[in-house]
Amino acid sequence: MSKNTLYSGNGGPPSGRGKLFGLSLVEVMTLQKKTHPNKSIPLFMLEGFKYIIKHGLGIEGIFRIAGTKDKVKQLQMQLDKGEEIDFVQTKVDPVDLADLMKIYFRELPDCLLQSEQYDHFIGILALDRLAQIQKLRELVGNLKPENKEVLHELVSFLGKVAINSNLNKMTCENLGLVWGPNLLWKGGKAVSTVDMMELMAGAGKIKLIVTLLIEEQEHIFNTSPTSCITNTIGQDIKVSFLYKIVGGYKKTIQGISILEDSDQNKYIWTADSSGLVKITNSSTYAPEKEFDTNLGRIHTMTSVRDHAWIASSQSVSVWDRSGTLVKEFPGLYASITAVYSHGECRIWAGTDQKISIFSSSSLELVQEIEIPAQFIVSITEIFGDSNQVWVGGLNGSIYIFDKTTGAEIKKISTPARRNITCLTFHKYMDKGNVWAGSEDKQIFVIDPIDYTIIKTISDGEMLLINSLKSISNTVWSCSRDHTIRIWDSKSFQLIGQLEDYHTDAVTDAVLIYNSRKLRWELWSASYDKSLCIWGVYSDYLVAPPTF
């Protein structure tokens, strides 16, 4: 957490005012630029947004219910004195912080939307929806640069709150209601100076304006709601946090996969370890359905078009798009993946001392491969000219099989003493390597031709590797320490990490193209019972063809 000492500045603010509350945005940002020149909004606000996203999205009535008066006042005094505040270490109640944020905007010398524009903002309500958006774009463009930047980040943040309204009950309209009086008022330098009758008369109209700002932010600002927290990863890739979806799971999320319907619409399936499955629309982020599979402990899942295949302590089970059980193969299975062979996708599922292979067309068991004294923890297909499937087991062992015949080609003994938890094949330009993650907190990069370990990757803070994803010219690792790390596939160096929004182990992730938003998105699943959605931008990621 950043330390909030930046508002003291040389000489401090004008006498009689705090060092944050009551100052204009221009004054606050002038002071802040001396220590944080790359931050475009007040730092306490930036860290506050992160904190509430991390800990407060599931609180019913967040921003509507009042904080504890004494605690809110104490936070305000600390910030005005330039004291350090670590919201995590001090376990700040998100409700108190939410209340403090509204107070900050209410105490600005002039409202964020600038009171001289009050009549212009109110006047847009006489227009139709399209004209309202066009006029709002013009009015927002006329704001002071500092006001415009803060407004952009605020409505982006409020959009992240609203996407969880099924849990926190704060829809865009409800947020417009509670935030409106803090963002726009007529005359004077504070809400308290406005005639209360006039204030009440305009409250309903202001609510509609702020609601529209939240709902149509992408069109008003001509940008995606990426927030100012955009990570530039190396030279060729950028990542922006978009949304966090919380609540509803009974236990930790173990599996995530993508299913299609007959119209090529895509849906995110997630399964928690208790057997609960949730289905989410990948374009709108709206919840579609949830159901209990009654499968015992779910370990992982994969998909082939419109069917989900789930590996659990009870079976390998097959489910159709509607969430109906199609077929079940009894037995404990811990790993599963789809492999293209014999003119179809076949499902390889790992368990104790064997791999079971199923046809996705006939839904029948077609082959079993015995692996004595092993337990199969991870499986991946090697794409391209290779005809191999790599399998991770106990004690650092990796087995390589011919995907057509099932014959064993090679056994590799890595330096790992514990399990090979995940495998992925990454090909960038002409060179492809296998990346293997272990419980020993290490990643091994292996040449699939001569089977030598090219590089062993470790990081002092990295814990057990749950999954590895090949994205553009990078490989992303999902770790037990709530962090997604991004590795350059040529230098094998750590070039970025995403750690601000999950609070527990990141178990798995899927990359999907959002045809509605026209961008690639990574959905990450976590033990903290949440999904995070990240915008991924790279010249190497092109939109998929449409049919």
Side-chain angles (χ1 to χ4, degrees):
M1 180 71 68
S2 299
K3 305 299 183 182
N4 294 299
T5 57
L6 64 161
Y7 302 110
S8 55
N10 293 329
S15 178
R17 283 194 280 174
K19 294 172 181 176
L20 177 60
F21 288 77
L23 285 183
S24 71
L25 276 173
V26 172
E27 291 173 299
V28 170
M29 295 311 299
T30 298
L31 292 174
Q32 180 171 296
K33 291 291 184 183
K34 296 176 182 179
T35 51
H36 292 75
N38 297 323
K39 302 300 183 185
S40 57
I41 68 172
L43 192 62
F44 103 95
M45 194 182 302
L46 178 65
E47 298 296 343
F49 289 166
K50 287 183 183 180
Y51 186 78
I52 290 174
I53 289 169
K54 206 168 183 176
H55 300 285
L57 290 180
I59 298 174
E60 184 172 340
I62 187 77
F63 288 113
R64 187 185 69 237
I65 55 179
T68 304
K69 187 175 180 180
D70 290 343
K71 292 181 179 179
V72 173
K73 189 65 177 177
Q74 179 63 34
L75 287 171
Q76 182 176 345
M77 290 173 61
Q78 286 178 268
L79 288 172
D80 270 343
K81 290 178 181 178
E83 293 182 9
E84 298 181 358
I85 298 181
D86 187 320
F87 299 136
V88 176
Q89 283 291 102
T90 55
K91 298 181 180 179
V92 170
D93 188 330
V95 172
D96 293 338
L97 184 55
D99 207 2
L100 183 71
M101 286 186 172
K102 290 190 296 181
I103 291 171
Y104 172 77
F105 285 98
R106 201 156 57 238
E107 293 195 2
L108 287 173
D110 187 21
C111 58
L112 185 66
L113 297 180
Q114 296 174 205
S115 56
E116 72 268 16
Q117 293 211 85
Y118 180 91
D119 291 333
H120 296 298
F121 275 106
I122 297 298
I124 73 164
L125 298 177
L127 307 173
D128 61 38
R129 181 84 171 193
L130 180 58
Q132 287 176 344
I133 294 170
Q134 292 172 338
K135 186 62 177 178
L136 271 179
R137 186 183 301 140
E138 176 187 330
L139 291 173
V140 168
N142 290 334
L143 294 174
K144 296 174 183 177
E146 294 82 3
N147 292 45
K148 181 179 177 180
E149 191 67 39
V150 168
L151 179 65
H152 184 194
E153 297 308 322
L154 175 63
V155 297
S156 176
F157 163 69
L158 294 178
K160 294 169 174 55
V161 176
I163 204 171
N164 292 280
S165 62
N166 62 315
L167 194 65
N168 59 40
K169 310 305 179 187
M170 297 307 292
T171 61
C172 291
E173 185 176 0
N174 287 341
L175 289 166
L177 178 64
V178 298
W179 271 95
N182 304 293
L183 302 180
L184 180 63
W185 57 78
K186 186 174 184 178
K189 66 176 184 179
V191 173
S192 59
T193 66
V194 181
D195 179 84
M196 286 305 296
M197 293 299 291
E198 186 174 2
L199 177 65
M200 293 174 63
K205 296 177 181 179
I206 295 170
K207 178 197 79 170
L208 295 175
I209 292 164
V210 176
T211 301
L212 191 62
L213 283 167
I214 300 171
E215 291 177 340
E216 301 290 351
Q217 57 183 275
E218 293 185 50
H219 299 110
I220 293 167
F221 291 93
N222 290 319
T223 63
S224 297
T226 56
S227 97
C228 59
I229 312 160
T230 299
N231 297 282
T232 300
I233 309 298
Q235 296 180 343
D236 304 313
I237 192 166
K238 291 184 179 181
V239 183
S240 291
F241 172 72
L242 299 174
Y243 297 108
K244 182 175 180 178
I245 300 175
V246 301
Y249 296 97
K250 298 177 182 178
K251 292 189 176 180
T252 58
I253 305 177
Q254 294 293 129
I256 182 167
S257 198
I258 304 168
L259 266 71
E260 294 184 1
D261 64 17
S262 56
D263 296 322
Q264 295 187 325
N265 298 309
K266 293 181 172 61
Y267 301 86
I268 303 295
W269 277 47
T270 48
D272 72 13
S273 58
S274 75
L276 180 72
V277 168
K278 284 178 169 286
I279 304 173
T280 307
N281 188 301
S282 69
S283 295
T284 65
Y285 319 123
E288 295 270 338
K289 186 177 183 178
E290 67 176 69
F291 58 93
D292 195 333
T293 61
N294 298 308
L295 290 176
R297 181 180 177 83
I298 288 179
H299 293 117
T300 187
M301 65 192 304
T302 190
S303 60
V304 178
R305 295 180 300 278
D306 58 350
H307 282 79
W309 292 71
I310 298 177
S312 72
S313 60
Q314 179 176 302
S315 64
V316 166
S317 56
V318 190
W319 302 78
D320 68 16
R321 163 69 186 88
S322 68
T324 300
L325 178 63
V326 177
K327 196 156 187 177
E328 191 170 12
F329 304 91
L332 183 156
Y333 289 89
S335 54
I336 195 166
T337 197
V339 173
Y340 189 79
S341 66
H342 300 81
E344 66 165 343
C345 278
R346 292 193 166 184
I347 305 299
W348 288 48
T351 182
D352 184 32
Q353 302 190 68
K354 73 176 181 181
I355 298 170
S356 299
I357 304 175
F358 306 94
S359 166
S360 67
S361 300
S362 65
L363 303 184
E364 298 293 339
L365 175 67
V366 294
Q367 188 177 4
E368 289 188 332
I369 302 172
E370 300 293 332
I371 311 178
Q374 265 296 342
F375 191 90
I376 310 308
V377 182
S378 53
I379 310 174
T380 195
E381 177 182 5
I382 309 301
F383 298 99
D385 297 332
S386 173
N387 198 40
Q388 300 174 0
V389 174
W390 289 43
V391 172
L394 309 179
N395 305 315
S397 298
I398 297 175
Y399 295 82
I400 303 168
F401 295 94
D402 184 293
K403 70 179 182 181
T404 302
T405 66
E408 183 177 325
I409 298 172
K410 180 78 175 177
K411 178 185 176 182
I412 301 173
S413 296
T414 72
R417 291 175 294 177
R418 301 175 68 187
N419 301 345
I420 299 297
T421 53
C422 52
L423 291 154
T424 194
F425 178 66
H426 175 78
K427 187 171 185 179
Y428 174 65
M429 305 298 284
D430 296 326
K431 179 61 177 174
N433 292 314
V434 177
W435 291 55
S438 75
E439 285 188 9
D440 290 14
K441 313 173 191 178
Q442 293 179 313
I443 299 171
F444 306 104
V445 185
I446 306 171
D447 189 315
I449 305 300
D450 62 16
Y451 310 117
T452 58
I453 297 176
I454 301 168
K455 181 73 175 180
T456 298
I457 299 171
S458 60
D459 182 280
E461 297 182 355
M462 184 166 64
L463 300 182
L464 180 154
I465 316 299
N466 287 314
S467 64
L468 292 161
K469 299 297 168 183
S470 172
I471 300 176
S472 183
N473 58 338
T474 57
V475 175
W476 300 33
S477 62
C478 300
S479 176
R480 184 64 61 88
D481 64 345
H482 77 258
T483 300
I484 300 173
R485 291 176 174 81
I486 303 171
W487 308 90
D488 183 270
S489 62
K490 294 179 67 178
S491 68
F492 311 121
Q493 296 299 307
L494 178 66
I495 57 175
Q497 55 189 49
L498 312 175
E499 58 183 349
D500 289 320
Y501 299 104
H502 282 306
T503 60
D504 206 337
V506 185
T507 51
D508 204 357
V510 292
L511 184 70
I512 186 170
Y513 187 75
N514 188 326
S515 56
R516 182 171 178 174
K517 305 290 186 180
L518 301 179
R519 66 186 173 215
W520 285 97
E521 296 175 351
L522 184 86
W523 291 56
S524 57
S526 171
Y527 280 6
D528 66 9
K529 305 177 187 177
S530 78
L531 297 171
C532 281
I533 307 172
W534 313 82
V536 183
Y537 312 91
S538 170
D539 291 340
Y540 296 100
L541 290 174
V542 297
T546 56
F547 301 97

